[in-house]
């Protein structure tokens, strides 16, 4: 079946919506091949459509998780979830955003179920759905706002120890602030990130360490640690 690059002429006219073909997606991902094969390397697609690029990146990451941890259901589960946490997208049209979340979940769930078999569980599946709700957002990457006019806020997920994830929420507009070169140690509202060797804005909120299988419950029942900005 031929790839569908256009859903309708009206969508092309109204939104300029044309999906990138698989061949071009793979070729472009090959340009950053080393990063697509790092489990924790983060990717943001500012006009993600229904997920062509993000699905390719996640597929490559899951292949690496399989290669490294396929013999251990517990490790495969944990690191496949970590791979999902590294995928971010913004999409203007709600149906595309929903389709992208569903597509990424189905991609992950197929690999997870096949590898973990009887160890696969719905708690983990629920957490992955929750992560995708936070990471794939309906909004406008040009104005850096969501469809309801509020700022785009992304959760950063970091595996700290064992099965515990650290969640910190950042406003996208602050992450794209170009003042980082002028920021120095002690500047209010900024912090040093050793991973990228640069200063980044401080998070809006931080959450206590949480088992990656309990992320939704942690947000519903816990209190975030508010950070002064």
């Amino acid at each position: 079946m031929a790839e569908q690059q256009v859903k309708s002429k009206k969508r092309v006219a109204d939104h300029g919506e044309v999906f990138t073909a698989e061949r071009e997606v793979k070729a472009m991902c090959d340009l950053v091949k080393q990063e697509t094969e790092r489990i924790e390397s983060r990717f943001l697609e500012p006009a993600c459509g229904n997920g062509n690029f993000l699905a390719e990146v996640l597929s490559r990451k899951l292949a690496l998780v399989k290669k490294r941890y396929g013999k251990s259901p517990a490790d495969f589960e944990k690191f496949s979830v970590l791979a999902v946490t590294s995928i971010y997208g913004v999409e203007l049209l709600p149906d595309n955003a929903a389709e992208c979340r569903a597509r990424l979940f189905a991609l992950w769930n197929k690999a997870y179920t096949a590898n973990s078999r009887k160890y696969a569980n719905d708690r983990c599946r629920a957490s992955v759905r929750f992560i995708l709700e936070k990471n794939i957002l309906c909004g406008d990457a040009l104005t850096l706002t969501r469809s309801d006019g509020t700022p785009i806020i992304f959760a950063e997920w970091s595996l700290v120890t064992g099965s515990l994830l650290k969640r910190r929420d950042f406003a996208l507009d602050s992450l794209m602030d170009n003042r980082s070169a002028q920021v120095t140690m002690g500047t209010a509202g900024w912090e040093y990130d050793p991973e990228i060797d640069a200063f980044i804005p401080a998070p809006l909120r931080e959450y206590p360490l949480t088992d990656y299988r309990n992320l939704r419950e942690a947000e519903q029942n816990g209190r975030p640690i508010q950070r002064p900005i």
Side-chain angles (χ1 to χ4, degrees):
M1 181 180 295
E3 298 175 65
Q4 183 186 23
Q5 291 184 258
V6 173
K7 286 187 174 181
S8 73
K9 292 182 179 180
K10 186 177 188 306
R11 290 169 72 104
V12 175
D14 291 346
H15 306 290
E17 180 186 78
V18 178
F19 298 107
T20 308
E22 182 179 1
R23 182 180 65 180
E24 283 70 33
V25 168
K26 290 183 179 295
M28 293 175 73
C29 286
D30 283 342
L31 296 176
V32 288
K33 185 174 185 294
Q34 185 175 357
E35 291 302 312
T36 65
E37 295 177 350
R38 288 179 56 218
I39 298 171
E40 72 282 5
S41 182
R42 298 184 180 96
F43 282 79
L44 168 62
E45 172 56 71
C48 67
N50 62 4
N52 285 359
F53 280 100
L54 297 183
E56 176 66 20
V57 172
L58 182 57
S59 293
R60 296 182 183 208
K61 287 172 174 280
L62 291 175
L64 179 61
V65 175
K66 173 72 173 178
K67 181 178 179 180
R68 290 184 179 175
Y69 305 107
K71 294 183 179 179
S72 169
D75 284 343
F76 182 90
E77 178 182 277
K78 176 171 65 176
F79 287 101
S80 70
V81 172
L82 186 64
V84 175
T85 68
S86 72
I87 304 293
Y88 296 86
V90 179
E91 169 54 31
L92 186 64
L93 301 179
D95 60 334
N96 281 340
E99 187 177 336
C100 181
R101 290 186 209 102
R103 181 178 180 181
L104 295 177
F105 176 82
L107 181 64
W108 169 83
N109 191 46
K110 181 178 179 180
Y112 172 55
T113 303
N115 190 87
S116 298
R117 299 186 181 183
K118 66 179 182 180
Y119 296 99
N121 61 88
D122 287 340
R123 284 178 62 210
C124 185
R125 292 186 177 101
S127 273
V128 169
R129 290 188 186 277
F130 178 75
I131 291 165
L132 291 172
E133 289 172 11
K134 299 298 180 182
N135 285 22
I136 309 299
L137 302 179
C138 184
D140 188 336
L142 294 178
T143 63
L144 303 178
T145 57
R146 299 194 65 171
S147 55
D148 61 2
T150 59
I152 292 174
I153 296 176
F154 279 125
E156 175 201 69
W157 317 89
S158 302
L159 186 63
V160 177
T161 181
S163 63
L164 298 179
L165 279 180
K166 180 71 173 178
R167 172 185 168 186
R168 306 195 303 167
D169 289 354
F170 292 89
L172 183 57
D173 58 357
S174 68
L175 291 175
M176 298 182 69
D177 192 323
N178 62 6
R179 292 180 298 159
S180 58
Q182 288 76 45
V183 172
T184 59
M185 193 68 71
T187 302
W190 293 72
E191 61 180 34
Y192 178 72
D193 186 336
E195 183 179 344
I196 61 173
D197 189 26
F199 287 91
I200 63 172
L204 297 176
R205 293 179 294 273
E206 293 187 63
Y207 291 78
L209 291 177
T210 305
D211 188 288
Y212 67 83
R213 289 156 292 207
N214 298 328
L215 297 177
R216 190 182 298 276
E217 294 84 351
E219 180 177 78
Q220 292 172 344
N221 302 326
R223 284 188 175 181
I225 303 168
Q226 299 291 338
R227 290 285 300 272
I229 304 299

